[in-house]
Amino acid sequence: MSANGLYAYISANVKAPRLTEGFKRDYLTADQARRLLQQIDCSSLQGKHDYAMLLLMLTTGLRTIEVMRALIGDLRPCAGMTVLYIQGKGQHEKAEYVKISPQVEQPLRLYISARQDSSDSAPLFASVSRRNDSQPLTTRSISRIVKQRLAGADLVSDRLTAHSLRHTAATLNLLAGGTPEETQQLLRHKSITTTMIYSHALERADNPSECRITNVLLGSAAEYGFQQD
């Protein structure tokens, strides 16, 4: 053993791989997010449930654990609007909240009114299956529902998951003119450095350097063509 001097510590000079700070999951464009919602048939209780849950996640950036922990009684009035108090990651109480826009609250209330148990102590999103009726969803169940709805909208990718809805909320907020500071507050990041990953990704997408260099070397796309024999 190396501790007894029998052989050298072979990994002493081996450096751990550096993890990238980029996204492990993709986000949806506005058109894709609309397609995801529009393909849900809200005539059934399951449809009302899924539509309200996905819309809430897309507009507030909630994590699956926050969706799982939410109760109906966590919906409360605040400063003239409805908010949802949440227990965030690593938190022990529901001290933070997300704002519920009227367009989001309407389908949410329709879903709640269609349920058997709409008491304040009931989970905001409960199972609609006969076996687990009114029981809170697990994070795995939430992820499964999102993946099924993504597949229904022909949005099938290993990089599109329930967490992609959180990425979508952040990205769409920035694209619509939201500041990094506002997006940090929306996502409840402790450090704005985490939020800036979204901003940097958008800046990189808007950076035309490759096309600019190509135009210098080969001319613009309108001018350039292949010579065929």
Side-chain angles (χ1 to χ4, degrees):
M1 297 176 63
S2 61
N4 297 326
L6 298 181
Y7 58 82
Y9 183 41
I10 59 175
S11 61
N13 296 316
V14 177
K15 295 183 178 180
R18 183 177 180 181
L19 298 177
T20 63
E21 295 181 349
F23 298 125
K24 302 297 188 298
R25 295 291 179 263
D26 288 340
Y27 64 88
L28 303 178
T29 66
D31 285 343
Q32 289 173 331
R34 281 190 287 267
R35 192 165 86 229
L36 173 64
L37 295 170
Q38 289 169 356
Q39 54 90 30
I40 300 176
D41 180 3
C42 294
S43 61
S44 67
L45 180 59
Q46 183 72 62
K48 290 181 176 67
H49 170 283
D50 294 359
Y51 183 89
M53 186 175 74
L54 267 63
L55 179 60
L56 181 67
M57 295 173 71
L58 281 166
T59 55
T60 63
L62 288 182
R63 302 178 178 93
T64 55
I65 186 67
E66 294 165 343
V67 175
M68 183 192 77
R69 291 170 173 169
L71 304 177
I72 292 177
D74 295 329
L75 287 168
R76 305 179 208 166
C78 178
M81 69 180 306
T82 299
V83 302
L84 175 68
Y85 279 86
I86 58 172
Q87 182 181 346
K89 186 172 69 173
Q91 302 297 315
H92 300 290
E93 58 183 358
K94 295 178 178 179
E96 298 179 299
Y97 64 80
V98 293
K99 297 179 179 180
I100 310 298
S101 304
Q103 304 95 311
V104 179
E105 184 176 6
Q106 182 180 20
L108 187 57
R109 296 292 185 186
L110 285 174
Y111 157 63
I112 293 172
S113 65
R115 288 171 46 173
Q116 292 183 350
D117 186 359
S118 58
S119 62
D120 284 351
S121 60
L124 182 58
F125 293 102
S127 172
V128 299
S129 69
R130 292 181 179 178
R131 184 176 61 180
N132 300 311
D133 183 44
S134 299
Q135 294 299 309
L137 295 176
T138 63
T139 55
R140 180 175 295 183
S141 297
I142 295 168
S143 296
R144 175 178 51 79
I145 291 170
V146 173
K147 287 292 285 187
Q148 288 176 343
R149 292 302 185 179
L150 285 167
D154 294 325
L155 297 168
V156 180
S157 169
D158 290 340
R159 293 178 62 86
L160 287 175
T161 68
H163 205 67
S164 297
L165 305 191
R166 180 171 167 83
H167 291 330
T168 301
T171 303
L172 294 183
N173 188 53
L174 288 167
L175 287 171
T179 66
E181 291 78 14
E182 289 172 332
T183 307
Q184 177 191 11
Q185 191 174 47
L186 169 72
L187 299 183
R188 304 167 306 285
H189 286 154
K190 292 182 179 179
S191 171
I192 198 170
T193 302
T194 306
T195 314
M196 290 304 295
I197 296 174
Y198 296 93
S199 183
H200 293 328
L202 291 178
E203 290 173 357
R204 183 63 186 94
D206 288 338
N207 184 337
S209 294
E210 291 87 350
C211 291
R212 190 184 296 120
I213 297 168
T214 302
N215 290 343
V216 170
L217 292 175
L218 303 176
S220 67
E223 300 171 350
Y224 186 73
F226 289 103
Q227 294 292 331
Q228 295 184 349
D229 294 335

